[in-house]
Amino acid sequence: MATGVSALGNLLRKTTIVDHDEVLRAANAELKISKSDTKAQRTKVIALLQLDRYDEAVHVFEEAGDKLKKTAQLEHAYALYKSGRLEQAQEIAQEIEDNRGARHLEAQTHYRLEEFSKAAKIYKTLTDNHQTAVENEENDLRINGSAADAQLEWKRQGDFVLKKKAGRDDLEAFETAYNAACACIARGEFSQAEVLLKRANDLCSLSDLSDDLKSDELLPISVQQLCVLSALGKREQAERLASTIALKQIPEMSTRQIAQINKLTASTQPFNPYLSHRIVQSTLSLPKSDRLFEFQRSLTLQNELALDLLSSKFSGVRNSTAKYLSGHKSPTTQPEVNINSVANAAAHAQNQLSKLGLTSILPLLEKRPNDVGLILTIVHLYILTNNHGSAITVLETFFKHLDLSAFAADQDVRFAPGLVAVMVSLYSIQGRKSHIRTELAKAASYWRHKSKQSPGLLRAAGLALLDSTSLEDRAAAGEIFDTLHQQDPKDKISAAGFVAAYATTDLRKVRSTLEHLPAVTRLTAGIDVDALEAAGVPNVPSVGALNANKKRAADESTKPAKKRIRKSKLPKDFDPKKAPDPERWLPLRDRSSYRPKGKKGKQKAQALTQGGVSEKGAESLNIANSDGVPKAASTVVSASSKPSKKKKPKK
């Protein structure tokens, strides 16, 4: 046994980074002699990890028992992480103390579990404690921290991101430039993202990486460039770039699937939903270790359901989405559930909009009154028909139903920032300012006592309450801005709201904050007061007044078809110099130039009155004579008009 250990130790001292297969063979040979040799087991695990054989490494830990798991905790956690068992890897990594490698692994597990705020917090802690950092760790921390910030933007949690603009240090490496571009895409800043992606492409092309690694890194950058060019409307450039992307060369299956979708959207050829549906359905299933993130899964699901609907697979979409919805509770704000709900409504309406779509969808509301996706679909259709009142009624009824619920999850849905924003937008269209303040105040009072707050919603509520003349509303605005200012003292909007709320009631409380705000003279330096006075005060009507006199647009599907107007035809012998016959509109026999042909025709023409009244007709009419006394029409009863009395025949 000592000889085997000595041989293994000599081999390990002589090995380099390319000798992992030889190390694995030596470790296996040693384990044949002694299966419980912890050093040989750990050596085998490290060799398997270096060879990317993660499932086999996990199998070694399971067979070895607790002794190896305690000796090689970091290796065990890493093997579990790479094999897709994220929860177990996170639990083991948290147990390891005073180990920066374990903190990196813990942050990575949080990242893959889409707990991006926790990952960003760990990276910030590691960056602050740079005394114990290892070589090149600073660059890794910058790259991973920027990736976590980009994911927070995608998850609509950008309020937790402190750095919004790319700095000079982000432009030094292609990884950080790429992450900064992804954050810009999440915020909708596509022009800035295009510049950053070009910078990332140039830096990667000039890097010291090998040709194979360089190709693997350039492909995701090109896929993102394809997305940005399509969003900017540069279809020709996008199609040229799409032709250069080889899908089979992309090593990651998730990136390959996204690239396939981006290539379809970038095509300038006529859209064929049936062919696109076939291409999307032909993609392979993703492994556990290479899953899409939640926002990517949501977009992919939308694309698949949209292609199904465009391919007229209404019954299939209706049945599959109904089966999915039956296994999930409502109400909920989960994207996948609500996407299935919207697709189910579209399948019932068979892609009909406006009134025709509402006629098919409204009966579903009686069966699913708590379905958020269905309610938002109905609200959207009402908005398309310019019927904002009905849209508000539907949403208010849903909110009142949730207000009566005793479940905490239902209250989270009731005051979800997205739903509150929809209601506030509808109120603003009709100019209901008091309703806006009430709705925002309710939402702010609810989220202020929660651990997961929405700074954007609280900020909007505070600004709305500041416009009120009520002292209670201004006091509530002060409490909201006070909370926001304590959470982020660098936020200028929160600081200004905090000062505005307490400036007239408690100036001492905000004096220190007031000193850090820009001076009024600086804010008004570029304003021409004389020009403003000369222009006067414009009288702009409110949005509600504009919409009050505006009728709803008629449904395009019910409009009558336009009649085709034929070109006027002129007769062959038409002479523009001659005046047209004034009697040309009369029938031929009623014209003055009409002369009947034949003997019978002439006799018949003489018998016609040509508009006159015959003597017999004059006598039957009640016409006044020359002295103005009307003549009495004589009533003559013929004998034949009397009823005849016939005797009954004798029997």
Side-chain angles (χ1 to χ4, degrees):
M1 178 176 175
T3 305
V5 173
S6 177
L8 180 60
N10 293 332
L11 179 61
L12 291 175
R13 283 191 294 269
K14 295 178 182 179
T15 54
T16 60
I17 196 170
V18 295
D19 297 328
H20 304 304
D21 290 320
E22 188 176 353
V23 172
L24 180 60
R25 286 193 295 269
N28 287 330
E30 182 64 26
L31 289 173
K32 289 181 180 179
I33 301 173
S34 176
K35 294 183 178 180
S36 59
D37 188 350
T38 306
K39 186 176 181 180
Q41 291 172 344
R42 187 172 185 179
T43 303
K44 180 178 180 179
V45 166
I46 295 174
L48 289 172
L49 293 177
Q50 294 290 345
L51 294 171
D52 296 342
R53 295 160 64 175
Y54 306 112
D55 292 332
E56 296 181 32
V58 173
H59 184 67
V60 172
F61 277 106
E62 292 176 352
E63 286 187 343
D66 295 337
K67 185 177 180 180
L68 179 61
K69 293 179 180 179
K70 292 181 180 180
T71 305
Q73 281 185 303
L74 184 59
E75 291 85 349
H76 187 204
Y78 184 75
L80 291 171
Y81 165 74
K82 296 298 290 185
S83 61
R85 306 177 189 182
L86 302 177
E87 291 81 2
Q88 300 178 28
Q90 184 185 63
E91 184 179 353
I92 296 173
Q94 289 176 347
E95 296 176 354
I96 305 174
E97 298 179 355
D98 300 330
N99 190 314
R100 292 181 70 88
R103 300 287 75 77
H104 276 277
L105 184 57
E106 182 184 356
Q108 284 296 100
T109 54
H110 282 302
Y111 183 87
R112 290 304 306 175
L113 289 171
E114 304 193 31
E115 299 171 350
F116 304 117
S117 58
K118 294 181 180 179
K121 185 177 181 180
I122 293 175
Y123 286 133
K124 187 177 184 305
T125 303
L126 291 172
T127 304
D128 296 339
N129 300 331
H130 59 276
Q131 293 84 1
T132 59
V134 298
E135 187 179 359
N136 295 328
E137 186 182 2
E138 182 180 357
N139 187 40
D140 293 340
L141 287 172
R142 187 184 301 113
I143 294 171
N144 294 338
S146 61
D149 289 343
Q151 291 289 358
L152 285 172
E153 295 285 0
W154 279 113
K155 208 170 183 179
R156 299 296 182 264
Q157 296 179 357
D159 297 317
F160 297 101
V161 179
L162 300 179
K163 188 177 181 180
K164 293 289 186 180
K165 293 184 178 181
R168 182 173 297 178
D169 54 344
D170 295 324
L171 304 178
E172 296 177 356
F174 71 89
E175 296 95 341
T176 52
Y178 175 79
N179 291 335
C182 291
C184 290
I185 295 173
R187 291 192 296 267
E189 302 170 358
F190 297 108
S191 299
Q192 182 67 20
E194 184 183 13
V195 176
L196 292 171
L197 287 173
K198 187 178 184 304
R199 175 67 176 175
N201 194 315
D202 296 340
L203 290 174
C204 184
S205 301
L206 299 174
S207 63
D208 297 333
L209 298 175
S210 63
D211 293 340
D212 293 338
L213 290 176
K214 191 179 296 184
S215 177
D216 293 344
E217 295 292 345
L218 284 173
L219 282 172
I221 298 175
S222 300
V223 172
Q224 288 290 52
Q225 284 181 311
L226 185 60
C227 173
V228 171
L229 291 174
S230 300
L232 291 174
K234 301 179 179 180
R235 304 297 298 275
E236 296 181 356
Q237 298 181 28
E239 191 171 21
R240 287 197 299 268
L241 179 61
S243 62
T244 62
I245 299 176
L247 297 177
K248 295 182 179 180
Q249 295 181 3
I250 301 177
E252 297 179 354
M253 294 298 299
S254 59
T255 307
R256 187 184 302 182
Q257 184 176 1
I258 295 172
Q260 179 67 76
I261 296 173
N262 288 349
K263 290 188 71 171
L264 288 175
T265 57
S267 177
T268 58
Q269 300 297 325
F271 179 68
N272 187 340
Y274 302 98
L275 180 60
S276 301
H277 182 273
R278 181 180 178 182
I279 294 174
V280 171
Q281 293 296 328
S282 63
T283 55
L284 300 176
S285 59
L286 301 178
K288 291 184 179 180
S289 58
D290 191 19
R291 296 182 302 177
L292 295 173
F293 291 102
E294 182 182 3
F295 76 93
Q296 294 173 330
R297 292 196 301 270
S298 299
L299 294 174
T300 304
L301 178 62
Q302 289 183 39
N303 292 331
E304 293 176 356
L305 292 173
L307 287 175
D308 288 340
L309 292 170
L310 290 174
S311 302
S312 301
K313 298 181 180 294
F314 301 122
S315 60
V317 173
R318 188 164 54 243
N319 296 332
S320 62
T321 53
K323 182 178 179 181
Y324 180 88
L325 293 174
S326 63
H328 294 78
K329 295 182 179 180
S330 293
T332 181
T333 55
Q334 293 182 4
E336 292 187 11
V337 177
N338 292 320
I339 289 171
N340 278 274
S341 176
V342 173
N344 181 269
H348 277 86
Q350 296 187 359
N351 294 343
Q352 296 290 336
L353 299 177
S354 304
K355 294 182 179 179
L356 294 177
L358 285 169
T359 303
S360 304
I361 295 175
L362 283 175
L364 298 177
L365 190 59
E366 299 178 0
K367 301 177 182 179
R368 290 147 45 193
N370 293 332
D371 194 331
V372 176
L374 177 61
I375 290 172
L376 290 178
T377 303
I378 294 173
V379 169
H380 184 67
L381 291 178
Y382 274 131
I383 293 174
L384 291 178
T385 59
N386 204 23
N387 191 353
H388 303 101
S390 298
I392 292 174
T393 302
V394 171
L395 206 53
E396 283 180 342
T397 304
F398 176 61
F399 281 176
K400 290 178 181 179
H401 182 71
L402 292 182
D403 287 336
L404 301 176
S405 177
F407 296 101
D410 293 351
Q411 297 303 313
D412 290 343
V413 176
R414 162 63 180 87
F415 296 106
L419 292 176
V420 174
V422 173
M423 180 60 82
V424 169
S425 300
L426 291 172
Y427 281 150
S428 63
I429 290 174
Q430 295 194 341
R432 304 185 187 182
K433 295 184 178 180
S434 60
H435 290 75
I436 293 175
R437 284 195 295 268
T438 303
E439 183 63 29
L440 289 174
K442 288 181 180 180
S445 62
Y446 178 79
W447 287 113
R448 280 179 56 202
H449 304 289
K450 296 289 183 178
S451 58
K452 294 182 180 180
Q453 297 182 353
S454 177
L457 188 146
L458 294 176
R459 195 179 296 117
L463 293 174
L465 292 173
L466 279 178
D467 292 337
S468 175
T469 57
S470 173
L471 296 178
E472 296 180 357
D473 292 343
R474 297 185 68 85
E479 295 177 359
I480 292 172
F481 282 118
D482 189 6
T483 304
L484 293 174
H485 184 59
Q486 291 178 4
Q487 293 176 354
D488 187 8
K490 296 181 181 180
D491 186 8
K492 295 182 179 180
I493 297 178
S494 301
F498 177 59
V499 171
Y502 289 103
T504 57
T505 57
D506 192 357
L507 186 59
R508 295 180 180 179
K509 187 174 182 178
V510 298
R511 190 177 296 277
S512 59
T513 307
L514 182 60
E515 296 175 355
H516 295 86
L517 291 177
V520 177
T521 55
R522 177 184 172 186
L523 296 175
T524 59
I527 298 177
D528 190 350
V529 179
D530 296 334
L532 288 176
E533 290 182 351
V537 180
N539 184 15
V540 181
S542 63
V543 179
L546 291 174
N547 292 327
N549 298 325
K550 189 176 180 181
K551 295 183 179 179
R552 293 196 299 271
D555 193 356
E556 296 182 358
S557 59
T558 59
K559 289 183 178 180
K562 293 183 178 180
K563 294 183 178 180
R564 182 181 176 183
I565 302 176
R566 296 183 179 180
K567 295 182 180 180
S568 59
K569 295 183 179 180
L570 299 176
K572 296 181 180 180
D573 56 348
F574 174 73
D575 187 1
K577 296 180 180 180
K578 295 182 180 181
D581 186 7
E583 296 181 351
R584 63 186 182 277
W585 309 114
L586 298 176
L588 187 62
R589 60 184 178 81
D590 292 341
R591 299 181 189 180
S592 59
S593 60
Y594 176 67
R595 296 291 182 270
K597 297 180 180 180
K599 185 176 180 180
K600 293 183 179 180
K602 293 179 180 180
Q603 293 177 355
K604 187 177 180 181
Q606 292 176 359
L608 295 176
T609 59
Q610 291 291 332
V613 181
S614 62
E615 295 179 0
K616 184 178 179 180
E619 292 177 356
S620 62
L621 296 177
N622 192 10
I623 301 175
N625 55 11
S626 58
D627 56 0
V629 181
K631 294 182 179 180
S634 59
T635 304
V636 180
V637 180
S638 61
S640 61
S641 63
K642 295 181 180 180
S644 60
K645 296 182 180 180
K646 295 183 179 180
K647 296 181 180 180
K648 294 182 181 181
K650 295 181 180 180
K651 295 182 181 180

